[in-house]
């Protein structure tokens, strides 16, 4: 056996003379690896930035959040004992401009210690502590939408404030979570003067604590919870200052990574086609080496080194692009991201991407390479007409191990292994379906009667003759068209959900904190403005789940999958009748005049995540009081109608002793909307008015950004599919040159040759369009229903137009790839065969 240095010298010299044939291999690997590395690096960059800025984002080392109450003196003493606390109170409130306009805002009252970490920056400088007495700092959006300026005034509740500055940067903004309005900040001593906090008002008190350097935030939280077991607070520490944002980024990153992996697998087919095409062009060299005495193993090593070298360069280039991609994405879409990632190398996503690229190269390049191992020199010279040699068992074992390693790597690095396994299974299933269809097309074409017209007979023969690229073309065209349909169906379903479904069924306003003793007055005001107004009003409280089925939530090492209801406090209500938009699936609803022990009705999916059944117990903490109820029924809820519905609905009388207010939805015509937007905040200063169109706008923006991210990742898969198509055409180039020359010698014109190939591509495109329509709609339905939890409603016209456009594009690519064959000169081509 020749030394490795000698083998590499031969491989390098041969590669230098004709590297062109491996460009498809390089492009496919580069696209796939760069996509995976970019997605992994961006996800790691954002999560690392969240961790690095955890104290600033949270506002402290540990946070204690209390719904609808402030900390007691004993609890405050506990906070002071472990560190330096800072208190804030946050609520939704209406900002009233001097001219009468009003806008929903997030009112935040802070103490003199705020912020414990970071800095609050106004447009006129950095501030520490609370605003001056009687003054307020407002967000840019609030100033812009109500035409407010520094030195002017704005009213919250019963208190008019002087505007002391415009907020440029709020250090703990991300940790506050989702908001429905721009922020406004006042001092805690000014909060009572607003009279916004009344018995039952919806607000949240947060106590951030700065700990000594040696203190463990988790241990501090557990110790204070043990000291005050009835406090009912939610604890967050600096390691995860924005848990909702982090979960969203990680899950979206996993989904996009799987899409990128699918793109890389698709590119792998292009790798196989590219290697097959390259080796077909190297046939004389392969035969010459064998004639000169090189054994099959030596030839295999020489060309294996060539392929490995090109693959390594392509993977390295993809890693470089993927590593710097977060910088480019941050510059282009920095405002869309929760935090802008800094530049850093993240070894794990880069290593995983490199491993994927190498395994894909092995899995798809080895079969055509190994096929030459057992073909003798004479067979290589006759490879144009002879079938390729079969792959031996060691090569098959190596390919199988590479594929198993790809699956194991994908599942092992996934946040949700079962989801990743299902996604990979679906991708493998799609490939198997397309491979089977390719075999079926060849077999069916070989058994059909031969058409009388020569052109049709030639087109039919192209589908099943020896060496036909039908299988590769079916896979390439099928993947591309399926992706086109999937993207079109996802985009149009999301658009339909937002643009058509929501506005038709949504109310005009949500109104929070309507005083319970003023409910009749509220109804009268609304019906006076619009006699046909639709009003739905129910009690509203906040509380956190503390126990279910005898399990204490604070004692769980890990929350059950899908048990989001256990994170933080939840909206609670009670009702004598089944709420609108709900439907019982098991159990019974209580009587309207029920007076017995507390009962609760639980949304079906939440009950399943908690393992709750009829008769089980569930406890909630409301204002420091724990209430235990028995599960009386399970129900489904229509969440997409923007109506009033809650995961947990209790029986009447459960919370009679707890102070609470009402929440209402109001549906009126546009003219009455304008009048009520002004009159309700004036008549009910403590109430908050939420315009549904503003909520829809925010949701639309978020979902559009998510669908654009999916489209961007999937577009790489489409590019890979196009590369596969080009590779399939290139792999059959030698065969088609031979056919073209023979047909020309027999008197065929260029138009006849091109027409036969056009018929071949047209038949394949027509067959695959039908299959792609079905498979693409199934894949899109899974994404829309499972990922977004939307109704699947694709636009038939757009999906159909996209499918026809994709089929037309594939057809044109096929014809464009065939055009150079018509220029082959018979004498030159025959000498090269």
């Amino acid at each position: 056996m020749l030394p490795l240095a000698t083998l590499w010298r031969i491989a390098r010299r041969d590669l230098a003379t004709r590297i062109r044939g491996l460009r498809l291999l390089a492009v496919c690997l580069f696209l796939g690896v760069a996509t995976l590395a970019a997605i992994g690096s961006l996800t790691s960059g954002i999560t690392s930035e969240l961790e690095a800025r955890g104290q600033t984002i949270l506002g402290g080392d540990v946070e204690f959040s209390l719904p609808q109450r402030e900390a007691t003196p004993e609890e405050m003493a506990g906070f002071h004992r472990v560190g330096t606390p800072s208190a804030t109170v946050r609520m939704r409130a209406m900002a009233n401009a001097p001219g009468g306009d009003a806008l929903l805002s997030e009112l935040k009252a802070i103490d003199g210690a705020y912020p414990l970490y970071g800095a609050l920056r106004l447009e006129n400088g950095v501030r520490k502590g609370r605003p001056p007495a009687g003054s307020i700092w407002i967000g840019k959006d609030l100033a812009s939408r109500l035409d407010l300026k520094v030195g002017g005034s704005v009213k919250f509740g019963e208190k008019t404030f002087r505007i002391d500055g415009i907020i440029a940067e709020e250090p703990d903004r991300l940790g506050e979570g989702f908001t429905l309005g721009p922020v406004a900040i006042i001092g805690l001593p000014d909060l009572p003067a607003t009279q916004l906090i009344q018995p039952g008002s919806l607000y949240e008190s947060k106590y951030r604590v700065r700990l000594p350097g040696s203190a463990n935030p988790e241990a501090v939280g557990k110790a204070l919870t043990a000291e005050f077991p009835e406090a009912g607070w939610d604890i967050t520490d600096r390691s995860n200052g924005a848990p909702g944002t982090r979960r969203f980024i990680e899950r979206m990153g996993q989904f996009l990574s799987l899409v990128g992996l699918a793109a890389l697998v698709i590119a792998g087919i292009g790798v196989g086609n590219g290697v097959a095409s390259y080796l077909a062009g190297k046939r004389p060299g392969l035969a010459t080496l064998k004639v000169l005495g090189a054994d099959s193993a030596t030839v295999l090593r020489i060309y294996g080194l060539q392929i490995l070298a090109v693959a390594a360069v392509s993977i390295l280039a993809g890693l470089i692009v993927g590593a710097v991609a977060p910088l480019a994405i941050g510059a282009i879409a920095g405002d869309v991201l929760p935090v802008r990632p800094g530049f850093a190398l993240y070894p794990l996503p880069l290593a995983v991407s490199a491993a994927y690229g190498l395994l894909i190269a092995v899995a798809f390049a080895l079969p055509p390479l190994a096929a030459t191992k057992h073909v003798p020199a004479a067979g290589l010279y006759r490879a144009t007409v002879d079938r390729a040699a079969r792959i031996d068992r060691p090569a098959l074992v190596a390919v199988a191990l590479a594929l198993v390693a790809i699956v194991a790597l994908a599942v092992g690095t996934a946040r949700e292994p079962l989801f990743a396994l299902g996604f990979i299974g679906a991708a493998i299933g799609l490939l198997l379906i397309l491979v089977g269809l390719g075999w079926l097309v060849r077999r069916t074409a070989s058994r059909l009667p031969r058409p009388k017209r020569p052109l049709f007979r030639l087109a039919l023969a192209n589908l099943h003759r020896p060496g036909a690229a039908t299988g590769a073309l079916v896979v390439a065209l099928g993947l591309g068209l399926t992706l086109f349909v999937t993207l079109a169906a996802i985009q149009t379903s999301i658009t339909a959900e937002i643009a058509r479904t929501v506005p038709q069924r949504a109310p005009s306003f949500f109104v929070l904190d309507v005083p319970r003793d003023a409910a009749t007055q509220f109804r009268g005001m609304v019906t006076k403005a619009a006699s046909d107004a639709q009003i739905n009003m129910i009690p509203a409280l906040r509380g956190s789940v503390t126990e279910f089925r005898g399990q204490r939530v604070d004692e769980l090492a890990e929350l059950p999958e899908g048990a989001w209801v256990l994170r933080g406090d939840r909206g609670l209500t009670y009702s004598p009748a089944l709420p609108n938009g709900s439907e019982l699936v098991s159990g019974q609803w209580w009587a309207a005049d029920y007076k017995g022990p507390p009962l609760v009705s639980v949304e079906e999916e939440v009950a399943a995540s908690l393992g709750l059944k009829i008769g089980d117990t569930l406890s909630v903490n409301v204002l420091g009081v724990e209430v235990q109820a028995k599960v009386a029924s399970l129900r489904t809820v229509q969440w997409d109608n923007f109506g009033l519905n809650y995961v947990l609905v209790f029986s009447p009388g459960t919370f009679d002793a707890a102070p609470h207010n009402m929440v209402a939805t109001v549906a009126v015509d546009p003219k009455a909307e304008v009048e009520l937007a002004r009159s309700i905040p004036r008549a009910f200063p403590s109430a908050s008015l939420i315009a549904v169109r503003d909520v829809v706008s925010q949701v639309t923006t978020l979902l559009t950004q998510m669908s654009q991210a999916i489209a961007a990742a999937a577009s790489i898969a489409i590019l890979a599919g196009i590369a596969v198509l080009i590779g399939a055409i290139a792999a059959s180039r030698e065969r088609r040159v031979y056919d073209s020359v023979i047909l020309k010698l027999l008197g065929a014109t260029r138009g006849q040759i091109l027409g036969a190939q056009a018929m071949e591509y047209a038949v394949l495109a027509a067959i695959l369009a039908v299959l792609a329509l079905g498979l693409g709609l199934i894949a899109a339905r899974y994404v829309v229903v499972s990922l977004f939890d939307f109704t699947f409603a694709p636009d038939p016209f757009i999906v159909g137009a996209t499918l026809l456009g994709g089929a037309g594009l594939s057809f044109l690519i096929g014809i464009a790839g065939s055009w150079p064959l018509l220029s082959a000169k018979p004498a030159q081509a025959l000498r090269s065969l």
Side-chain angles (χ1 to χ4, degrees):
M1 185 178 69
L2 294 175
L4 181 61
T6 303
L7 292 174
W8 170 241
R9 186 164 60 250
I10 297 172
R12 179 172 53 81
R13 288 176 178 176
D14 184 58
L15 191 62
T17 61
R18 192 175 182 270
I19 195 174
R20 177 180 177 184
L22 291 177
R23 286 187 302 186
L24 184 63
L25 163 71
V27 169
C28 288
L29 284 179
F30 169 78
L31 283 175
V33 172
T35 302
L36 281 172
I39 293 170
S41 295
L42 181 62
T43 303
S44 297
I46 293 176
T47 53
S48 296
E49 190 71 12
L50 290 175
E51 290 176 3
R53 294 170 52 188
Q55 292 172 318
T56 302
I57 291 172
L58 183 66
D61 293 303
V62 62
E63 175 189 270
F64 300 85
S65 176
L66 292 166
Q68 291 183 270
R69 77 175 182 91
E70 297 181 66
T72 64
E74 293 77 15
E75 291 167 344
M76 284 300 302
F79 300 149
H80 279 285
R81 193 166 56 249
V82 297
T84 303
S86 172
T88 66
V89 174
R90 181 168 168 262
M91 68 181 69
R92 296 183 179 94
M94 301 302 294
N96 298 276
D101 291 332
L103 182 68
L104 181 69
S105 175
E106 294 282 334
L107 184 63
K108 183 174 178 178
I110 62 176
D111 64 5
Y114 177 91
L116 295 175
Y117 292 97
L120 188 142
R121 187 167 56 86
L122 304 180
E123 289 185 345
N124 57 359
V126 176
R127 299 294 179 91
K128 178 70 177 179
R130 59 178 180 256
S135 297
I136 190 171
W137 299 327
I138 63 174
K140 295 179 182 178
D141 287 346
L142 185 58
S144 174
R145 295 175 66 176
L146 291 183
D147 194 23
L148 302 173
K149 295 179 175 57
V150 175
S153 64
V154 64
K155 186 178 182 181
F156 279 89
E158 301 295 339
K159 172 72 173 176
T160 300
F161 293 90
R162 177 186 176 275
I163 301 173
D164 185 60
I166 306 298
I167 300 170
E169 182 179 351
E170 184 185 2
D172 55 345
R173 173 66 194 87
L174 188 61
E176 297 287 15
F178 181 76
T179 59
L180 289 172
V183 69
I185 298 178
I186 64 174
L188 266 177
D190 283 330
L191 184 59
T194 65
Q195 298 184 31
L196 290 173
I197 295 184
Q198 302 291 334
S201 295
L202 296 176
Y203 67 96
E204 185 177 33
S205 301
K206 292 184 177 182
Y207 298 88
R208 286 81 175 259
V209 183
R210 182 168 188 157
L211 302 175
S214 59
N216 183 308
E218 185 177 359
V220 168
K222 288 182 178 179
L224 286 177
T225 299
E227 184 177 351
F228 303 101
E230 302 300 323
W233 50 43
D234 291 316
I235 302 176
T236 308
D237 64 51
R238 65 191 178 209
S239 65
N240 196 10
T245 301
R246 185 188 180 100
R247 284 193 301 272
F248 174 78
I249 291 297
E250 288 179 345
R251 288 182 176 179
M252 196 66 183
Q254 175 185 316
F255 177 76
L256 293 179
S257 294
L258 290 172
V259 173
L261 177 58
L264 187 56
V265 172
I266 294 170
I269 301 170
V271 168
N273 289 335
V275 171
S277 177
Y278 175 71
L279 293 176
K282 289 291 184 179
R283 192 171 56 251
L286 284 164
T288 302
L289 285 171
K290 288 195 173 185
V291 168
L292 293 176
D295 58 17
S296 296
T298 300
V299 173
L300 186 67
R301 292 189 186 98
I302 290 172
Y303 287 95
L305 283 173
Q306 290 183 356
I307 294 168
L308 185 62
V310 174
V313 172
S314 304
I315 291 171
L316 180 61
L319 293 177
I320 293 172
V321 171
V324 302
L327 277 180
I329 296 172
I332 296 171
D335 294 338
V336 174
L337 302 176
V339 293
R340 182 170 296 189
F343 178 70
L345 293 179
Y346 300 99
L348 181 59
L350 295 180
V352 169
S353 301
Y356 277 134
L358 185 61
L359 291 170
I360 288 292
V362 170
F364 289 91
L366 189 57
L369 181 62
T372 64
K373 183 177 179 180
H374 302 290
V375 180
L380 286 169
Y381 280 121
R382 296 193 302 268
T384 300
V385 293
D386 285 351
R387 294 191 177 187
R390 66 180 182 84
I391 306 173
D392 57 10
R393 181 172 297 177
L396 287 175
V397 171
V399 171
L401 289 176
L403 294 175
V404 170
I406 291 170
V407 175
L409 188 60
V411 175
T413 57
R415 176 186 172 91
E416 299 176 10
L418 289 179
F419 176 76
L421 192 61
F423 189 98
I424 293 171
I428 293 174
L430 173 60
L431 289 176
L432 292 177
I433 289 173
L434 292 175
V435 170
L437 180 62
W439 175 85
L440 183 62
V441 168
R442 291 190 63 170
R443 184 173 179 83
T444 303
S446 66
R447 293 174 177 265
L448 289 175
R450 299 178 63 188
K452 294 182 179 180
R453 298 186 62 177
L455 200 61
F456 292 161
R457 188 163 60 249
L458 180 60
L460 182 63
N462 282 343
L463 293 173
H464 66 83
R465 58 177 170 71
T470 302
L473 289 172
V474 166
V475 172
L477 284 170
L479 288 171
L481 295 179
T482 300
L483 287 169
F484 277 124
V485 171
T486 301
L487 284 179
I490 290 173
Q491 296 280 8
T492 55
S493 289
I494 293 175
T495 302
E497 186 77 16
I498 296 169
R500 294 195 297 269
T501 307
V502 172
Q504 288 180 358
R505 290 183 285 177
S508 305
F509 300 111
F510 288 109
V511 187
L512 309 179
D513 280 333
V514 178
R516 188 163 35 156
D517 57 3
T520 303
Q521 179 187 349
F522 177 83
R523 288 182 179 275
M525 172 179 287
V526 174
T527 53
K528 182 179 180 181
S531 58
D532 59 345
Q534 298 180 16
I535 306 170
N536 184 21
M537 188 177 299
I538 63 173
L541 303 94
R542 302 289 295 182
S544 56
V545 179
T546 56
E547 172 269 334
F548 64 98
R549 292 192 299 114
Q551 303 179 72
R552 300 295 302 182
V553 174
D554 56 5
E555 295 176 358
L556 295 176
E558 185 176 351
L559 296 183
E561 181 66 28
W564 54 267
V565 73
L566 302 181
R567 298 190 181 99
D569 59 294
R570 297 285 132 210
L572 309 174
T573 191
Y574 58 87
S575 175
L578 183 68
N580 294 331
S582 291
E583 182 179 346
L584 283 183
V585 293
S586 63
Q588 293 184 340
W589 198 260
W590 43 78
D593 57 351
Y594 179 80
K595 302 292 185 183
L599 301 176
V600 63
S601 176
V602 186
E603 195 271 335
E604 183 183 29
E605 291 185 2
V606 169
S609 68
L610 300 180
L612 288 172
K613 298 179 177 59
I614 304 300
D616 288 339
T617 60
L618 179 143
S619 300
V620 293
N621 186 298
V622 178
L623 298 174
V625 177
E626 190 164 307
V627 177
Q628 186 180 74
K630 182 181 293 186
V631 177
S633 64
L634 306 180
R635 70 193 197 288
T636 58
V637 179
Q638 296 178 9
W639 299 108
D640 60 354
N641 63 0
F642 275 58
L644 289 178
N645 234 311
Y646 287 75
V647 169
L648 304 176
V649 179
F650 290 82
S651 56
T654 301
F655 302 114
D656 279 351
H660 59 275
N661 288 326
M662 311 293 285
V663 60
T665 60
V666 177
V668 294
D669 58 66
K671 182 179 179 181
E673 283 184 15
V674 177
E675 180 182 345
L676 290 173
R678 286 175 169 266
S679 61
I680 290 178
R682 288 197 297 265
F684 303 95
S686 63
S688 299
L689 194 71
I690 302 174
V692 170
R693 64 169 58 89
D694 292 339
V695 179
V696 172
S697 176
Q698 291 193 45
V699 173
T700 300
T701 300
L702 176 62
L703 293 176
T704 299
Q705 292 166 356
M706 291 176 64
S707 62
Q708 287 173 347
I710 293 172
S715 64
I716 303 298
I718 291 175
L719 289 176
I722 292 174
V724 170
L725 178 59
I726 294 173
I729 295 170
S732 62
R733 180 181 178 84
E734 298 294 332
R735 161 62 65 180
R736 292 191 182 275
V737 168
Y738 177 85
D739 292 345
S740 175
V741 168
I742 297 300
L743 289 171
K744 281 185 178 181
L745 290 175
L746 295 175
T749 65
R750 290 188 176 189
Q752 290 173 326
I753 296 173
L754 190 63
Q757 293 182 7
M759 289 182 188
E760 176 187 353
Y761 291 126
V763 168
L764 290 178
I767 294 173
L768 290 168
V770 177
L771 179 68
L773 182 62
L775 294 176
L777 291 177
I778 291 173
R781 187 182 188 282
Y782 176 79
V783 173
V784 171
V785 175
S786 300
L787 185 66
F788 293 108
D789 198 20
F790 281 173
T791 301
F792 184 58
D795 187 310
F797 176 78
I798 294 179
V799 171
T802 302
L803 179 60
L804 290 176
L809 176 62
S810 302
F811 176 80
L812 292 176
I813 291 174
I815 295 301
S818 301
W819 189 264
L821 305 180
L822 304 179
S823 302
K825 295 180 180 181
Q828 181 181 356
L830 290 174
R831 282 197 299 269
S832 65
L833 294 176

